[in-house]
Amino acid sequence: MPELTIDRSFAEGLDRSDSLASVRQQFEIDPAGPIYLDGHSLGRLPKRVRERLHAVIDEDWARDLVASWDEWVDWPLAVGDRLGTALLGAAPGQVAAADSTTINLFKVASAVLARQPGPLVTDRTNFPTDRYVLQGLAQAAGVEMRLIDVERDTGPQPDLIERAVEGASLVCLSSVDFRSGAVAPMLEINEVCKRAGARVLWDLSHAVGAVPVELDASGAELAVGCTYKYVNAGPGSPAFVYVRKELQAELRQPIWGWFGQREMFVMGPEYDPVEGIGQFVAGTPSILGLAALDAAVAVLADAGIRELRRKGMALVGYASDLIEARLGEFGVVLGGPRRPELRGSHVSMHHPDAYNLGDALSKEGVMGDVRPPDLLRFGLAPAYTRFVDVWDAVDKLTALLRRNG
C-alpha cells in the first residue's frame, strides 16, 4: 500500500484501484447508509441469496412439494463439500453443513472425550459458547477443565499450549480471536498437540470467509464454525463441522438422529450410523438455510479467498494506520497484532468510554460494535467494505472524541 496520507482522497484512490470493487455490487447496500462495519457479527445480504431463496420457495417448495426431498436430502454434505473446497482447504467428504456452532462443538468434543477421557483445555477468554460447552462436558464427565491465560493482543501461542496440554484429551481454540482479531498459528499448535497426544478442535467462526484456512494442509483434525459472519449466509444460517477423514470411523458423535442413520427411510429399530462425515448430521436440516449458505459461498468462491484476504489485510492495515494517526491523542489504543497478516479482518480499539462511543457512532450512521469492558470493534468484511468506509468511520469517531474533549 502507498504511504498513508490523512486525506479522504487517498481512500478514494485505493477504492479505484481495488480489483474486488465489483464484488460489492453483488450485495444489497443502501447508498444512504449506514456505514456497516459489523460484518464480523452478521454479514450483508448477497443478492444471490435472495434469488436462491425465492427459487427454492417458489419452485421447490410451492411446486414440487415433498418430491423436493429427493434433492434436498443430500444438501448437508453437498453444501459442506462446496464450503470446504472454497473456503476451508478441505477435500470433499470431510465437511457437513448443519445445526449451530454450539451443537457441532458439543458433538465433536463429546466424541473425542468418549474415546479418549482426559482434561479439556481452552483459553479463559475464548468465545463464550466454546467455554460453556466444554465446562458442561467436563462437569458431566468428571474431568479437569483447564482454562489458560493468553496475552490479550496475541492470542494462543504454541509455547503456551505446550505447557498446558500434557495429559489432555482435547484442546479447543479459536483460529481468530473474537476480541483482538489475532490469528492463531494453526500448523504449529496442531503439531504441539499431536506430540502430546491431544486432539485439537478449532473454532473458525471469525476466520471463514475472510482468512484462508488450510485444514488439510495444516494437519487439523477437527473444526467447527458459523456462516453468518464473513460468509454472509444470513442470521442463524447453518454452521459446519469438519472431521478429518482418518478420524471419521474412530469417533462416534452423541446425538443419534435419523439423518445420520444408514438406510434412514427404512426407519429401523436400532441406530446404525452411516460411514463418513454424514454421521455428524443429526436431525432434519434447514433447507432454506442451506440454500442461502450455498449461494453465499458461491459469491466468495468467485471472488477467491486469496484475493479476499489480500484486500482484508489492506483494509486492516489502512484502518490501523488511521486509528493510530488520528485517534491516539484521544486515548484510543489499537488492540491486537499490528501486522495485518497476523490479524483477521476486524480491528479492535481500547478506550475507557467504548460503550458510549459505540452508541454515539451508531447515531452518526456508523455500525460497529463494542465488547466489555473497553473494546470497540470494526469488522472490515473484504467482500463489500470500501476504504472510504474506513476513512469516514474514523473521521466520525475523531469528531466525536474531539467534541467530548
Side-chain angles (χ1 to χ4, degrees):
M1 182 184 293
E3 185 177 352
L4 177 71
T5 301
I6 309 297
D7 187 279
R8 195 176 190 275
S9 62
F10 182 78
E12 292 169 350
L14 294 174
D15 285 329
R16 283 194 297 272
S17 62
D18 176 18
S19 62
L20 291 181
S22 62
V23 179
R24 177 179 167 88
Q25 307 308 313
Q26 299 186 47
F27 291 82
E28 298 285 352
I29 300 176
D30 185 346
I35 298 170
Y36 191 61
L37 301 182
D38 205 3
H40 56 301
S41 293
L42 176 66
R44 285 188 180 272
L45 170 63
K47 295 176 182 177
R48 274 195 244 183
V49 168
R50 183 194 296 276
E51 294 164 0
R52 182 68 180 280
L53 287 175
H54 277 293
V56 173
I57 292 169
D58 296 339
E59 298 171 21
D60 296 358
W61 183 7
R63 184 189 64 199
D64 297 336
L65 297 166
V66 73
S68 298
W69 275 108
D70 291 343
E71 177 186 356
W72 290 346
V73 73
D74 297 323
W75 281 12
L77 303 191
V79 176
D81 278 347
R82 288 191 280 274
L83 172 67
T85 301
L87 303 179
L88 300 175
Q94 300 178 105
V95 178
D99 299 316
S100 67
T101 305
T102 302
I103 297 299
N104 286 334
L105 194 143
F106 174 82
K107 292 178 198 171
V108 173
S110 297
V112 171
L113 192 57
R115 181 75 179 180
Q116 181 179 325
L120 304 178
V121 180
T122 192
D123 59 284
R124 196 177 303 276
T125 50
N126 197 4
F127 195 78
T129 202
D130 300 32
R131 290 184 281 111
Y132 300 159
V133 168
L134 295 176
Q135 287 168 358
L137 285 172
Q139 180 174 315
V143 300
E144 178 189 359
M145 179 71 187
R146 293 180 188 166
L147 292 171
I148 58 178
D149 294 305
V150 302
E151 290 294 327
R152 182 181 72 174
D153 291 332
T154 59
Q157 296 298 312
D159 57 344
L160 177 64
I161 301 302
E162 189 170 25
R163 293 195 296 270
V165 74
E166 183 177 356
S169 169
L170 180 71
V171 177
C172 180
L173 301 169
S174 291
S175 62
V176 173
D177 187 279
F178 80 101
R179 302 158 306 150
S180 69
V183 176
M186 182 179 287
L187 174 64
E188 292 84 353
I189 289 176
N190 285 337
E191 291 174 347
V192 163
C193 293
K194 184 176 182 180
R195 289 196 297 269
R199 305 289 186 196
V200 187
L201 170 55
W202 290 100
D203 185 337
L204 306 177
S205 295
H206 287 83
V208 60
V211 176
V213 178
E214 298 293 345
L215 289 174
D216 289 353
S218 72
E221 295 180 318
L222 307 161
V224 297
C226 68
T227 62
Y228 50 80
K229 300 180 191 294
Y230 296 104
V231 182
N232 311 300
S237 57
F240 61 87
V241 55
Y242 165 90
V243 180
R244 196 174 187 89
K245 193 173 288 290
E246 294 85 349
L247 272 182
Q248 291 172 8
E250 177 181 335
L251 299 181
R252 175 69 61 88
Q253 67 100 349
I255 304 178
W256 295 3
W258 78 308
F259 255 74
Q261 167 79 341
R262 197 188 310 269
E263 301 293 340
M264 62 185 295
F265 290 107
V266 172
M267 310 289 183
E270 302 293 334
Y271 181 67
D272 179 22
V274 297
E275 295 181 358
I277 192 65
Q279 69 143 308
F280 283 85
V281 183
T284 307
S286 166
I287 294 305
L288 294 180
L290 286 169
L293 173 57
D294 199 30
V297 168
V299 174
L300 300 188
D302 287 349
I305 188 60
R306 301 287 171 189
E307 276 296 288
L308 290 165
R309 178 56 171 163
R310 177 200 57 75
K311 182 180 175 183
M313 287 192 295
L315 285 165
V316 163
Y318 179 58
S320 299
D321 289 343
L322 278 180
I323 289 164
E324 289 186 332
R326 301 195 62 185
L327 303 179
E329 64 178 289
F330 303 106
V332 175
V333 177
L334 182 68
R338 186 60 181 83
R339 290 161 52 193
E341 67 269 24
L342 300 180
R343 182 194 287 277
S345 213
H346 70 268
V347 293
S348 303
M349 295 162 277
H350 297 279
H351 190 278
D353 199 27
Y355 183 86
N356 289 325
L357 284 173
D359 184 58
L361 265 180
S362 67
K363 294 173 182 175
E364 294 288 331
V366 178
M367 194 175 293
D369 80 351
V370 295
R371 285 291 177 268
D374 67 344
L375 205 60
L376 181 64
R377 299 187 302 174
F378 286 166
L380 310 177
Y384 51 77
T385 304
R386 301 172 302 179
F387 290 91
V388 292
D389 295 331
V390 175
W391 192 94
D392 290 342
V394 173
D395 190 59
K396 288 177 182 292
L397 183 52
T398 303
L400 281 172
L401 287 163
R402 184 171 290 121
R403 287 202 302 268
N404 294 340

